[in-house]
Amino acid sequence: MKAQGASRRKSAADDQKQQGSRPAASRESNAERIYNSIRKDLMECRWPAGHTLKIRTLAAEFGVSTMPVRLALKRLGEEGALTIEENRSARVPIISQRRFSEFYEISVRLESLALERAFERVTAKQLDTLIERTQTMQTEIEAGKIAGYAQRFNSILMELYRAGGSSALIEMIEYVWVNVAPPSNAIFETPIFVVKIHAHLCEILDAFRRKDLKAAEAALVAALSYAERAMNLLMDMERTTSSLKART
């Protein structure tokens, strides 16, 4: 994440220089960019559930004052994506297994619809590009390089969904992802889970290439179902560990 942070700092600093004569506009612009960036990080599993985000640390990362960071976190807090703390920080919410499963059911319906719309509109060129990227990812996985997989996985699915042309549907999917991605952090950092999930991703794109919508939908449901089962397993293990520690 260091390179990503450095890129943000440069972008924020450049914007501040360009908008130095308009401090109010600059703060608003910075807050919007920081909001979008943090929201994207949440969707891409950058931080696990329960992780604390400190305002001063984020301000230093983005190369801005604390004010736009506060505004961005406040907005994310109002949306339920973060829990705002009193000690100048925010926390990535911890959700229950029941709530996670509810989001899973919603995700299956929304993403199945997005997949259906994409099936009707995606071009051969777009599909070839996505397949090529999954092949590169496969090579990296086989080499044991899974860092950042969640970001690449989500990026491919989202590009496919965007081909369907429904911005409202994308907004709803993003809302679900903001909530389920942080607790899924551990899944995308575990090789055995990544291998299985990536296999399903490849199946989705292969089914698109064969013009088999039913097979694509089945592969999508299989990927989401596998992720839910893996997440429930990890949550069960964590709850059992916590219970044992409380007894000792």
Side-chain angles (χ1 to χ4, degrees), residues 10 89 130 152 154 159 162 165 169 175 178 198-199 212 229 237-238 240 245-246:
K10 184 178 185 300
S89 64
L130 293 177
R152 297 191 293 277
N154 287 355
E159 285 188 37
R162 288 186 187 282
L169 187 54
Y175 175 78
V178 165
H198 188 70
D212 188 341
R229 293 197 305 273
M237 292 172 62
E238 183 177 347
T240 300
K245 287 182 178 178

Side-chain angles (χ1 to χ4, degrees), residues 1 4 40-41 43-46 133 137 146-159 177 188:
M1 295 298 175
Q4 183 182 44
K40 186 171 184 290
D41 281 341
M43 285 191 288
E44 294 177 349
C45 304
R46 180 183 178 187
R133 285 168 57 187
M137 290 161 66
I146 64 171
Y149 178 79
Q151 178 183 1
R152 297 191 293 277
F153 173 84
N154 287 355
S155 175
I156 285 179
L157 276 185
M158 190 55 75
E159 285 188 37
W177 283 10
F188 289 99

Side-chain angles (χ1 to χ4, degrees), residues 95-114:
I95 66 175
S96 66
Q97 280 182 277
R98 180 177 179 179
R99 187 166 174 77
F100 185 88
S101 294
E102 288 176 347
F103 274 122
Y104 158 74
E105 292 178 11
I106 295 170
S107 184
V108 168
R109 293 180 182 274
L110 291 177
E111 295 187 49
S112 293
L113 178 57

Side-chain angles (χ1 to χ4, degrees), residues 9 20 22 25 35 48 56 90 92 145 171 178 185 192 219 228 232:
R9 287 192 294 272
R22 295 183 297 165
Y35 162 83
R56 291 193 178 280
V92 181
K145 301 176 181 179
E171 289 173 6
V178 165
N185 175 276
I192 189 172
E228 190 217 9
N232 280 325

Side-chain angles (χ1 to χ4, degrees), residues 164-197:
S166 174
S167 58
L169 187 54
I170 293 301
E171 289 173 6
M172 287 185 279
I173 291 173
E174 287 183 343
Y175 175 78
V176 174
W177 283 10
V178 165
N179 284 274
V180 301
S184 303
N185 175 276
I187 296 176
F188 289 99
E189 292 185 349
T190 306
I192 189 172
F193 293 147
V194 169
V195 168
K196 185 67 173 178
I197 290 172

Side-chain angles (χ1 to χ4, degrees), residues 14 23 34-35 59 69 79 92 118 138-139 144 157 233 236 247:
D14 289 347
I34 293 167
Y35 162 83
V69 177
E79 295 174 357
V92 181
Q138 181 65 44
T139 301
L157 276 185
L233 174 62
D236 285 338
R247 295 176 185 175

Side-chain angles (χ1 to χ4, degrees), residues 123-141:
T123 67
K125 183 177 180 180
Q126 288 174 315
L127 192 58
D128 286 344
T129 299
L130 293 177
I131 290 174
E132 183 178 346
R133 285 168 57 187
T134 59
Q135 292 171 343
T136 300
M137 290 161 66
Q138 181 65 44
T139 301
E140 293 173 345
I141 292 170

